[in-house]
């Protein structure tokens, strides 16, 4: 079976609710990401067989047309409400695996309505149960929220996010347009939600979301507008198409749970067991930051005592949660950092609720080919290793 190569993953900046990006039609926002991926890859747009887009129904077709792709691209829509957009990547990979397509653009899009400015997790009681079960304190939750913000601010300051981000031309927010009768063109090239001025003292002063709870609005991700996309290409056609992959999607798994443990934990265990790769061989971990408590609970459940390899450039707590674009956005950030560090394996984990999670395993295109363990291979456990050790 031919492997699915990931080529030119990009994302738009994340926009705040009520901001410039949130005012854009979702098909335009998605088109910006699709256009960016196609241009960065250098592929002839006529060679794109399909677009798989997580979001509202019908956006795939409109986004493909807005991005200038051929009129015969139908647009395959993945319902994005309440999900992470990862099924778009998985569906594109399956199209390549089965020979149904050779070049597929996969991604997701989400626009944040003004009402979504309020920060509240879907099930705060579940988050508090995890905090009690894994003995996570308020101070630990606040500290991780600060770490996420510091890492994201550093990534922008050091230019780490530049290669993965495509600027978007939008109209200025309403509050900037009152002096003129017409919309003012506005180039959005940075994440609008990121605030580098948040202090530990400010977080400590916030009231908990539930009486006597651990979680506060400062340690929860807020909805954000955004889009992300990449090319998923059949490995045996890369040379013919003149494409350079950044990584390969090695395997993926989804699993459910009764809610007593972090939602992504069973998916991670299932994926590692099936792939034959141990957690100690993974160079980078990208985990959905629904809340600081959920990340810390997952880390403790899996035995990740050292968080230096987890969400190294921050996550949704700092940047916002772009809904159906969250999974493709995380994939983009993970793979660019994996190449920057000369790593071999990158693991992505996300939940789509308190009782279901998905995990994906990526292998850097620069790594030597590895033999894949047969399905049902024995699970070797979740061993950890010291941070800073990366394969060349």
């Amino acid at each position: 079976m031919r492997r699915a190569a990931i080529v030119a993953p990009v994302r738009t900046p994340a926009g705040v609710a009520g901001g410039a990006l949130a005012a854009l039609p979702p098909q335009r926002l998605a088109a910006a990401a699709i256009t960016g991926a196609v241009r960065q890859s250098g592929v002839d747009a006529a060679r794109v067989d399909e677009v798989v887009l997580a979001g509202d129904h019908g956006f795939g077709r409109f986004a493909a047309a807005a991005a200038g792709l051929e009129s015969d691209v139908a647009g395959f829509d993945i319902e994005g409400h309440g999900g992470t957009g990862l099924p778009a990547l998985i569906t594109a990979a399956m199209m390549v695996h089965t020979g149904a397509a050779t070049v597929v653009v996969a991604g997701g899009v989400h626009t944040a309505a003004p009402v979504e400015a309020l920060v509240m997790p879907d099930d705060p009681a579940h988050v508090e149960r995890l905090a009690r079960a894994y003995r996570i304190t308020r101070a630990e939750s606040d500290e991780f929220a600060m770490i996420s913000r510091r890492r994201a601010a550093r990534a922008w300051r050091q230019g780490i996010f530049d290669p993965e981000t495509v600027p978007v031309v939008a109209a200025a927010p309403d509050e900037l347009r009152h002096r003129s009768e017409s919309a003012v063109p506005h180039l959005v090239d940075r994440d609008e939600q990121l605030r580098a001025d948040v202090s530990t003292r400010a977080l400590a002063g916030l009231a908990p979301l539930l009486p006597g709870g651990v979680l506060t609005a400062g340690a929860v991700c807020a909805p954000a507008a955004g889009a992300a996309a990449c090319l998923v290409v059949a490995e045996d056609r890369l040379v013919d198409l003149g494409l350079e992959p950044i990584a390969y999607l090695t395997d993926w798994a989804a699993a459910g749970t009764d809610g007593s443990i972090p939602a992504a934990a069973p998916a991670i265990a299932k994926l590692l067991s099936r792939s034959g790769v141990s957690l100690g061989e993974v160079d980078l971990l990208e985990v959905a930051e629904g809340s600081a408590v959920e990340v810390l609970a997952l880390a403790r459940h899996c035995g990740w005592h050292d968080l230096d390899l987890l969400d190294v450039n921050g996550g949704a707590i700092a940047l916002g949660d772009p809904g159906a674009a969250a999974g493709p956005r995380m994939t983009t950030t993970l793979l660019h950092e994996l190449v920057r560090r000369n790593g071999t394996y990158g693991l992505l984990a996300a939940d789509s609720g308190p009782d279901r999670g998905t995990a994906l395993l990526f292998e850097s295109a620069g790594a030597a080919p590895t033999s894949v363990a047969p399905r049902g291979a024995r699970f070797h456990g979740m061993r950890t290793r010291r941070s800073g050790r990366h394969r060349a």
Side-chain angles (χ1 to χ4, degrees):
M1 182 171 63
R2 55 186 184 174
R3 293 191 296 175
I6 307 298
V7 179
V10 298
R11 69 177 180 94
T12 69
V16 296
L21 294 185
L24 280 180
Q27 56 266 33
R28 276 192 56 194
L29 195 55
I34 293 172
T35 301
V38 171
R39 286 180 178 173
Q40 192 175 107
S41 71
V43 72
D44 182 351
R47 304 301 295 270
V48 175
D49 298 315
E50 187 58 281
V51 169
V52 181
L53 187 69
D56 287 339
H57 180 71
F59 286 171
R61 171 69 175 170
F62 294 135
L69 300 184
E70 296 294 305
S71 59
D72 61 353
V73 174
F76 191 98
D77 297 307
I78 302 291
E79 184 64 39
H81 292 300
T84 62
L86 289 177
L89 285 170
I90 294 171
T91 300
M94 288 192 291
M95 287 181 173
V96 168
H97 286 324
T98 60
T102 298
V103 179
V104 182
V105 175
V109 62
H110 179 69
T111 53
V115 71
E116 291 182 319
L118 295 176
V119 178
M120 177 66 78
D122 292 335
D123 190 348
H126 167 72
V127 176
E128 293 295 345
R129 285 193 295 270
L130 289 178
R132 291 191 296 270
Y134 292 90
R135 298 182 180 179
I136 297 167
T137 66
R138 165 71 185 270
E140 290 172 328
S141 175
D142 287 348
E143 178 59 24
F144 184 84
M146 278 302 305
I147 289 174
S148 181
R149 291 180 170 85
R150 288 169 184 158
R151 288 176 174 177
R154 183 196 63 216
W156 272 121
R157 188 170 61 250
Q158 296 179 351
I160 293 173
F161 281 151
D162 290 343
E164 70 183 53
T165 309
V166 292
V168 179
V169 178
D174 291 339
E175 62 268 20
L176 300 181
R177 297 207 298 258
H178 69 280
R179 302 185 189 92
S180 172
E181 295 180 359
S182 60
V184 179
H186 178 58
L187 183 67
V188 182
D189 59 359
R190 289 290 187 272
D191 295 306
E192 294 180 322
Q193 196 162 138
L194 179 60
R195 291 182 56 188
D197 59 343
V198 177
S199 66
T200 303
R201 177 176 294 182
L203 290 181
L206 295 174
L209 295 178
L210 294 181
V214 169
L215 203 59
T216 69
V220 177
C221 69
C230 67
L231 270 63
V232 182
V233 183
E235 180 184 18
D236 57 0
R237 298 300 303 278
L238 289 169
V239 175
D240 293 342
L241 295 168
L243 298 177
E244 190 72 27
I246 191 172
Y248 296 96
L249 178 50
T250 301
D251 202 356
W252 61 85
T257 174
D258 61 4
S260 62
I261 62 176
I268 293 172
K270 184 177 179 180
L271 174 64
L272 295 179
S273 175
R274 198 165 63 187
S275 67
V277 175
S278 71
L279 194 59
E281 296 176 274
V282 174
D283 295 277
L284 284 174
L285 303 156
E286 194 75 20
V287 175
E289 290 183 1
S291 68
V293 167
E294 290 169 286
V295 177
L296 293 172
L298 182 62
R300 292 186 180 178
H301 182 90
C302 297
W304 304 336
H305 302 296
D306 189 341
L307 302 182
D308 287 347
L309 300 181
L310 188 151
D311 292 355
V312 298
N313 292 321
I317 291 175
L319 304 176
D321 175 19
R329 196 284 302 169
M330 293 167 62
T331 299
T332 297
T333 299
L334 171 67
L335 296 186
H336 279 275
E337 184 65 21
L338 189 65
V339 170
R340 200 175 74 88
R341 295 192 178 208
N342 293 319
T344 299
Y345 289 114
L347 177 66
L348 186 154
D351 61 81
S352 52
D355 59 354
R356 187 180 186 278
T358 305
L360 284 73
L361 181 66
F362 297 92
E363 184 177 1
S364 171
T370 57
S371 59
V372 179
R375 300 295 184 186
R378 186 176 180 182
F379 180 39
H380 298 291
M382 292 185 171
R383 298 187 298 272
T384 58
R385 66 176 186 177
R386 293 184 300 172
S387 62
R389 292 176 58 190
H390 303 285
R391 296 183 177 180

